[in-house]
């Protein structure tokens, strides 16, 4: 069966599409996640009940599992289900954490994730208190009714719930800044299931979150002890909401009410917040593993080739990555019959090579442009001016004298300028009016998208080659000729056979642009706070300094640690920028595995030489990508060394070691494997001078 089906062959039904089968596998993995999460909550809830109650009754055998089900279904799993909707296969580009914060503030999913984290942690604390009350602890009932107020809330339960809500809000914000919604793809072709050893290793990574949650609830406890009476009284005095809050918080607002905060409630809140963080991180780590682990869905399909082709052509990059991973597994570890079927049909190899070369070519151009969008096509050349002859000159003269042409000198217009005002100018507005106008203008402005990030860029080509490309046969241009243009060389494009060329469909008309003038209430509040903070931290010139000098004293003096935190928050991060430039490196590394595995196996399995004639293209693609990565690493190192900052140099070195070095190691291993497999047989191929020179270093090594 061929990857490119014949015309008489019926199309693949939707139920057999790769994305549909992959979605079924992911739903099955979510069931596994739910069972493991529920088991972990059952164990921790049982241990907490035994420790706090010093015994366990017969009714607890039914109470604890019931509350375990409620905690799992109402607290932890909703966060995972909401995270599934905001998964990103490739990261976006940011310059600093301040830029990341601004972009997150413009997304509705940010506020949804923050709210879900806070509400889930609060529900967990509330169910924990209700479970303790059902086991016999009367002090943990949610309501403590009095003779006059039967709906009075228990302040101890309120203390625990509010503290855990704040901890959940902080942990959710930390995950947003850590970009946990981006899938962490595995560095190797691995299909092994998630076992207890992985669970134990991931358990050790909860320490930062546990420390952050403990510090948050400790600060919350101090603030609650200082301001709890004032806050409750303020809530009761609100014009409309005070009537609603008064029956619930009247007992807590009385001056005679005391609360054992530091010696009784704080230890319990610390234990509760740490347990909640453990359950949260356990579910998140399991979700990270299940969301990125490969799957073999096309292997069991009735038509494996058509199924894998539908996965390679799917629009969603998340499901496309699974298709590339399965194809890489076939090229490296799959049965030989699947690879022999690819070699025996030239259409299969042309489809696979064209797809891999296209992916690597687009990312090569993105790397050359350093993450910037592709330049627009050049405008068409203006038509050459036509020199009129004698006949046309005489006709133009006659036409102008007979009133057929425009006059030689245009007349001066006597139309009154309607744009000029005849009224007196208005007096200058007051400072308060300027502040209100600034806030309103900031709230009605449309959000600005990041010009350097995220959207995939394509490189226009003509007949499979791009301008300034490098051919395989006789060109000797080095990579320096493409360093400024960033276009895709022709080596990254494989021409399909004549019967496979399909005329592209007509482009759809562009959709009408949205109004862009509407903004949410949270956006208005954010813009107002940004304006106020900007005004408070603005710098004003002083009389001691000269007029031409920049800077000045700040209008509002901030503490030193706040200034340092703001400076580090606005500092450009090399790792964030590199993550945007190499956004599709996981897919590129899979393409390298596909090309290398099929090329190495072709020596013994390719009886017709279908692939071996394209070995120069494979070598050139790998070498060009390796040279581009090495040049980018050298450029980053030189830029960091020019600053003279040791911290910047160390940060750049760490980012290069984390992102670029594994990529280059994969390419070097692939080149070593191809050179070792074919040896002197590669001498029959003609390669460009710079590619051959770079390959010679591997031969001499």
């Amino acid at each position: 069966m061929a990857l490119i089906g014949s015309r008489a062959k019926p199309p693949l039904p939707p139920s057999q599409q790769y994305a549909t089968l992959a979605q079924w596998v992911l739903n099955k993995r979510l069931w596994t996640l739910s069972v493991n999460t529920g088991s972990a909550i059952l164990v921790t809830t049982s241990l907490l009940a035994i420790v706090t109650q010093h015994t366990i009754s017969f009714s607890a055998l039914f109470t604890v599992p019931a509350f375990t089900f409620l905690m799992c279904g109402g607290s932890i799993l909703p966060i995972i289900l909401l995270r599934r909707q905001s998964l990103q296969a490739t990261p976006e580009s940011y310059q600093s954490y301040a830029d990341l914060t601004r972009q997150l503030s413009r997304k509705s999913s940010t506020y949804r994730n923050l709210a879900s984290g806070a509400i889930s942690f609060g529900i967990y604390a509330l169910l924990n208190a209700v479970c303790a009350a059902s086991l016999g602890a009367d002090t943990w009932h949610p309501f403590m009714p009095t003779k006059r107020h039967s709906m009075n809330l228990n302040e101890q339960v309120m203390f625990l719930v509010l503290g855990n809500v704040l901890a959940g809000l902080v942990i959710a914000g930390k995950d947003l800044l850590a970009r946990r919604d981006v899938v962490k793809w595995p560095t190797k072709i691995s299909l092994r299931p998630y076992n207890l050893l992985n669970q134990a290793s991931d358990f050790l990574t909860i320490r930062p979150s546990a420390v952050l949650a403990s510090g948050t609830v400790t600060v919350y406890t101090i603030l609650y002890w200082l301001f709890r009476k004032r806050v409750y009284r303020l809530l009761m005095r609100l014009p409309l909401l005070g009537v609603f809050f008064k029956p619930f918080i009247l007992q807590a607002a009385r001056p005679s009410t005391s609360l054992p905060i530091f010696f009784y409630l704080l230890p319990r809140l610390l234990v509760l917040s740490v347990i909640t963080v453990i359950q949260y991180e356990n579910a998140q780590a399991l979700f990270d593993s299940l969301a990125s682990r490969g799957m073999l869905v096309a292997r069991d399909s009735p038509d494996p080739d058509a199924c894998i082709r539908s996965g390679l052509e799917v629009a969603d990059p998340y499901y496309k990555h699974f298709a590339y991973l399965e194809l890489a597994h076939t090229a490296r570890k799959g049965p030989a019959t699947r690879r022999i079927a690819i070699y025996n049909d030239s259409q299969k190899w042309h489809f696979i090579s064209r797809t891999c070369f296209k992916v690597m070519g687009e990312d090569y151009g993105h790397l050359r442009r350093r993450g910037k969008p592709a330049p627009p096509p050049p405008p068409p050349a203006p038509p050459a001016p036509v020199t009129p002859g004698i006949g046309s000159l005489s006709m133009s003269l006659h036409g102008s004298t007979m009133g057929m042409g425009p006059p030689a000198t245009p007349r001066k217009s006597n139309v009154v300028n309607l744009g000029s005002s005849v009224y007196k100018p208005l007096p200058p507005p007051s400072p308060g009016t300027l502040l209100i106008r600034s806030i309103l203008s900031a709230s009605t402005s449309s959000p600005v998208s990041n010009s350097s990030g995220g959207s995939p860029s394509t490189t226009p080509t003509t007949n499979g080659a791009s301008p300034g490309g490098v051919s395989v046969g006789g060109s000797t241009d080095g990579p320096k000729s493409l360093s400024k243009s960033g276009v895709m060389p022709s080596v990254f494009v494989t021409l399909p056979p004549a019967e496979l060329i399909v005329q592209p469909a007509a482009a759809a008309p562009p959709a009408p642009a949205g109004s862009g003038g509407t903004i949410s209430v949270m956006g208005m509040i954010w813009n107002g706070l940004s304006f106020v903070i900007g005004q408070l931290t603005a710098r004003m010139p002083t009389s001691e300094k000269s007029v031409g000098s920049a800077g000045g004293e700040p209008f509002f003096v901030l503490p030193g640690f706040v200034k340092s935190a703001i400076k580090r928050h606005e500092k450009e991060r090399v790792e964030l920028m590199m993550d945007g430039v190499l956004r599709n490196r996981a897919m590129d590394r899979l393409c390298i595995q596909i090309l290398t595995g099929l090329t190495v196996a072709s020596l013994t399995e390719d009886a017709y030489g279908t692939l071996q004639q394209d070995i120069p293209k494979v070598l050139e693609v790998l070498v060009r990508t390796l040279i581009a990565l090495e040049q980018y690493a050298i450029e980053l190192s030189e830029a960091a060394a020019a600053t003279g900052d040791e911290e910047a140099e160390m940060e750049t070195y760490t980012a290069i070691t984390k992102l670029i070095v594994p990529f280059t190691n994969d390419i070097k291993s692939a080149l070593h494997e191809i050179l070792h497999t074919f040896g002197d047989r590669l001498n029959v191929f003609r390669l460009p001078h710079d590619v051959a020179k770079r390959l010679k270093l591997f031969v001499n090594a």
Side-chain angles (χ1 to χ4, degrees):
M1 292 177 290
L3 284 172
I4 308 298
S6 61
R7 295 181 179 179
K9 194 172 184 178
L12 198 65
S15 59
Q16 296 297 326
Q17 296 284 341
Y18 193 93
T20 305
L21 298 177
Q23 189 175 4
W24 180 83
V25 174
L26 292 176
N27 292 335
K28 188 177 179 180
R29 291 178 179 180
L30 280 180
W31 174 254
T32 304
L33 185 147
S34 304
V35 173
N36 292 351
T37 304
S39 302
I41 294 178
L42 177 62
V43 172
T44 54
T45 306
S46 303
L47 292 177
L48 187 62
I50 294 175
V51 170
T52 54
Q53 303 300 323
H54 304 289
T55 183
I56 189 153
S57 59
F58 179 77
S59 61
L61 299 177
F62 303 96
T63 303
V64 173
F67 278 97
T68 299
F69 177 78
L70 293 177
M71 290 178 183
C72 182
S75 175
I76 303 299
L77 289 183
I79 303 179
I80 305 301
L81 296 178
L82 286 176
R83 185 187 169 190
R84 182 184 179 185
Q85 299 178 358
S86 59
L87 273 180
Q88 295 182 7
T90 55
E92 298 179 358
S93 178
Y94 302 102
Q95 300 295 327
S96 60
Y97 283 107
D99 186 19
L100 174 60
T101 306
R102 285 190 294 269
Q103 296 297 327
L104 289 175
S105 64
R106 295 166 183 159
K107 297 180 180 179
S108 59
S109 60
T110 301
Y111 305 102
R112 183 178 66 243
N113 293 335
L114 291 175
S116 63
I119 293 174
S120 298
F121 274 58
I123 291 176
Y124 193 94
L126 179 61
L127 291 176
N128 183 271
V130 174
C131 181
S134 62
L135 293 176
D138 298 333
T139 57
W140 293 108
H141 282 288
F143 293 94
M144 299 293 289
T146 60
K147 295 181 179 180
R148 297 181 58 182
H149 301 281
S150 59
M151 301 297 294
N152 184 50
L153 292 175
N154 189 351
E155 190 177 0
Q156 295 183 5
V157 178
M158 286 194 298
F159 174 81
L160 293 182
V161 171
L162 292 178
N164 225 32
V165 164
L166 185 59
L169 188 65
V170 172
I171 296 298
K174 178 191 73 69
D175 288 344
L176 288 174
L177 291 178
R179 299 186 298 173
R180 201 163 187 172
D181 54 345
V182 180
V183 181
K184 304 299 186 295
W185 298 108
T187 58
K188 297 182 180 180
I189 305 174
S190 176
L191 303 176
R192 292 181 299 177
Y194 194 80
N195 51 27
L196 293 178
L197 182 61
N198 302 121
Q199 191 81 4
S201 62
D202 292 332
F203 182 80
L204 300 177
T205 62
I206 69 170
R207 185 175 59 181
S209 299
V211 172
L212 183 60
S214 302
T216 301
V217 298
T218 303
V219 175
Y220 157 77
T221 302
I222 297 175
L223 295 177
Y224 188 88
W225 176 67
L226 293 175
F227 303 104
R228 66 186 186 96
K229 296 293 184 181
R230 299 178 184 178
V231 172
Y232 287 143
R233 292 171 186 172
L234 180 62
L235 291 176
M236 293 174 57
R237 293 171 184 172
L238 293 177
L240 297 178
L241 299 179
V243 180
F244 174 77
F245 285 118
K246 187 175 181 179
F248 299 98
I249 61 175
L250 182 62
Q251 186 68 22
R254 289 181 176 178
S256 59
T257 305
S258 60
L259 198 66
I261 294 179
F262 292 100
F263 299 100
Y264 180 65
L265 294 180
L266 178 58
R268 188 179 183 93
L269 179 58
L270 286 173
V271 173
L272 179 62
S273 62
V274 170
I275 290 178
T276 311
V277 167
I278 290 175
Q279 304 297 344
Y280 173 80
E281 292 292 339
N282 173 55
Q284 292 283 25
L286 185 57
F287 181 85
D288 291 338
S289 174
L290 296 178
S292 60
R293 196 179 71 202
M295 59 183 73
L296 301 177
V297 299
R299 179 187 59 182
D300 303 327
S301 176
D303 193 350
D305 295 333
C307 182
I308 197 70
R309 183 199 173 192
S310 66
L312 297 177
E313 295 178 344
V314 72
D316 193 347
Y318 181 65
Y319 295 110
K320 182 182 292 186
H321 192 100
F322 287 117
Y324 275 90
L325 196 148
E326 182 169 356
L327 186 58
H329 181 270
T330 302
R332 283 291 191 180
K333 305 177 182 179
T337 55
R338 294 288 303 275
R339 293 190 296 269
I340 293 176
I342 295 176
Y343 301 139
N344 293 342
D345 192 346
S346 60
Q347 294 181 355
K348 292 183 180 182
W349 166 246
H350 279 293
F351 174 76
I352 294 174
S353 60
R354 186 171 69 253
T355 304
C356 294
F357 288 161
K358 181 182 178 182
V359 171
M360 296 189 67
E362 292 177 354
D363 299 333
Y364 176 84
H366 192 73
L367 173 60
R368 283 297 186 184
R369 296 188 300 270
R370 301 297 184 256
K372 297 180 181 179
V386 180
T387 305
I390 299 176
S392 60
L393 179 60
S394 62
M395 285 296 294
S396 63
L397 292 176
H398 285 291
S400 62
T401 56
M402 296 175 63
M404 295 174 59
T409 304
R411 293 184 178 180
K412 185 177 181 181
S413 177
N414 295 325
V415 181
V416 181
N417 185 11
L418 299 179
S420 61
S421 177
V422 296
Y423 298 99
K424 295 181 179 180
L426 296 176
S430 61
T433 306
L434 288 176
L435 176 61
I436 296 175
R437 288 182 181 178
S438 302
I439 296 177
L440 292 178
S441 63
S443 62
T444 56
S445 60
S446 60
V448 182
S449 61
N450 188 7
S451 61
S452 62
S455 62
S457 59
T458 58
T459 305
T461 59
T462 304
N463 297 331
S466 61
V470 181
S471 62
V472 182
S475 174
T476 58
D477 295 337
K480 295 183 179 179
S481 61
L482 300 174
S483 60
K484 295 184 178 180
S485 60
V487 296
M488 186 193 306
S490 60
V491 67
F492 291 100
V493 181
T494 300
L495 289 177
E499 61 272 17
L500 299 181
I501 298 178
V502 182
Q503 295 294 334
S515 59
T518 59
I519 193 169
S520 60
V521 178
M522 297 301 298
M524 296 176 62
I525 296 175
W526 176 263
N527 291 332
L529 291 176
S530 300
F531 176 79
V532 172
I533 294 174
Q535 293 297 321
L536 292 178
T537 58
R539 306 187 73 84
M540 54 184 298
T542 56
S543 57
E544 289 81 2
K545 296 186 178 182
S546 59
V547 180
S549 61
E553 294 297 331
F555 180 78
F556 183 77
V557 180
L558 296 175
F561 69 94
V562 176
K563 292 181 180 179
S564 177
I566 293 175
K567 184 178 179 181
R568 295 183 63 86
H569 188 65
E570 295 178 351
K571 180 183 178 182
E572 291 188 356
R573 300 292 178 176
V574 179
E575 184 175 349
L576 293 178
M577 293 187 293
M578 292 175 59
D579 211 6
V581 173
L582 305 174
R583 59 187 180 185
N584 209 22
R585 61 186 180 275
M587 190 84 74
D588 294 334
R589 295 174 70 177
L590 289 179
C591 291
I592 293 172
Q593 297 295 330
I594 293 171
L595 296 174
T596 306
L598 293 177
T599 302
V600 171
S602 66
L603 181 62
T604 57
E605 299 175 0
D606 187 6
Y608 300 99
T610 304
L611 182 144
Q612 295 176 9
Q613 60 184 351
D614 291 333
I615 289 179
K617 271 185 169 294
V618 176
L619 292 175
E620 188 173 355
V621 165
L622 297 178
V623 172
R624 298 242 183 250
T625 307
L626 178 61
I627 293 175
L629 289 171
E630 291 176 346
Q631 289 180 351
Y632 185 44
I634 294 174
E635 178 183 333
L636 292 175
S637 301
E638 292 178 351
T643 59
D645 187 2
E646 296 183 358
E647 183 180 357
E649 294 181 6
M650 182 58 64
E651 181 184 358
T652 304
Y653 174 77
T654 305
I656 291 175
T657 306
K658 180 180 179 181
L659 300 179
I660 296 183
V661 172
F663 200 173
T664 57
N665 288 340
D666 286 354
I667 300 177
K668 293 177 181 178
S669 300
L671 292 173
H672 276 295
E673 190 173 358
I674 295 174
L675 295 176
H676 177 73
T677 302
F678 289 91
D680 296 335
R681 299 181 182 91
L682 297 176
N683 293 331
V684 299
F685 298 119
R686 294 184 57 189
L687 295 172
H689 177 69
D690 55 338
V691 176
K693 184 179 179 180
R694 190 68 176 84
L695 286 176
K696 190 176 180 180
L697 299 178
F698 291 94
V699 176
N700 297 334

